[in-house]
């Protein structure tokens, strides 16, 4: 996956499109698409926050070491006990839905088009501090 603040939107692997749509339909009652939608700001705020789980770097401490990751904000411990040190990137609707004032519509800006990897764009990075650790070849995320 590429982390690119110069890319406005987020592009995820096409293999997650179907499971994403299944959950989206259960939560919203409609199919996910990138077509513009007419909705109020109130309706926008009712849309789900999209969670993207990023695998922890290889040198992470062993989760069986007894360390408790449950209280660390932004880690997957409570959502995925098998990978407690993975980072969960939370993308609220106000970040992934782009408003067009001239049309009065909101357009979802998370796409499921990639055949290899994906791109985490600036809409997913909003509200986060991103640390690029070139020396250790790692990237860190923290809610800002």
């Amino acid at each position: 996956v590429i982390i690119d603040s110069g890319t406005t939107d987020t592009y995820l692997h096409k293999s997650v499109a179907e499971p994403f749509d299944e959950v989206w339909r259960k939560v919203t009652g409609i199919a996910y698409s990138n077509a513009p939608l007419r909705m109020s700001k109130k309706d926008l705020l009712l849309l789900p926050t999209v969670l993207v789980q990023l695998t922890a770097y290889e040198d992470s401490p062993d989760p069986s070491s007894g360390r408790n990751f449950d209280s660390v904000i932004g880690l997957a411990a409570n959502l995925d006990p098998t990978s407690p040190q993975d980072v969960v990137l939370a993308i609220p609707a106000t970040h992934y839905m782009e408003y067009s004032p001239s049309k009065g519509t909101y357009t979802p800006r998370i796409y499921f088009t990639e055949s290899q990897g994906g791109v985490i764009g600036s809409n997913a990075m909003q509200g986060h501090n991103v640390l690029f650790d070139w020396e250790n070849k790692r990237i860190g995320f923290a809610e800002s």
Side-chain angles (χ1 to χ4, degrees), residues 67-75 77-78 84:
R67 291 182 64 189
N68 184 355
F69 298 98
D70 293 346
S71 63
V72 180
I73 296 171
L75 292 186
N78 292 325

Side-chain angles (χ1 to χ4, degrees), residues 6 16 22 32 40 72 81 84 90 95 104 120 124 138 140:
V16 298
E22 286 177 27
Y32 184 82
S40 67
V72 180
H95 295 183
I120 302 294
R138 299 186 297 208

Side-chain angles (χ1 to χ4, degrees), residues 105-122:
T105 59
Y106 289 90
T107 302
R109 295 297 187 188
I110 297 176
Y111 299 91
F112 299 92
T113 55
E114 300 304 294
S115 56
Q116 294 184 352
V119 179
I120 302 294
S122 63

Side-chain angles (χ1 to χ4, degrees), residues 11 18 20 22 24 31 35 43 46-47 60 63 69 74 113 123 137:
Y11 300 86
E18 189 175 322
F20 181 90
E22 286 177 27
W24 183 267
D43 290 334
L46 294 174
L47 289 176
S60 295
F69 298 98
T113 55
N123 64 346
K137 300 179 182 172

Side-chain angles (χ1 to χ4, degrees), residues 117-141:
V119 179
I120 302 294
S122 63
N123 64 346
M125 288 187 253
Q126 292 179 45
H128 295 87
N129 290 324
V130 183
L131 172 68
F132 294 89
D133 181 355
W134 299 112
E135 189 174 298
N136 294 300
K137 300 179 182 172
R138 299 186 297 208
I139 298 173
F141 288 88

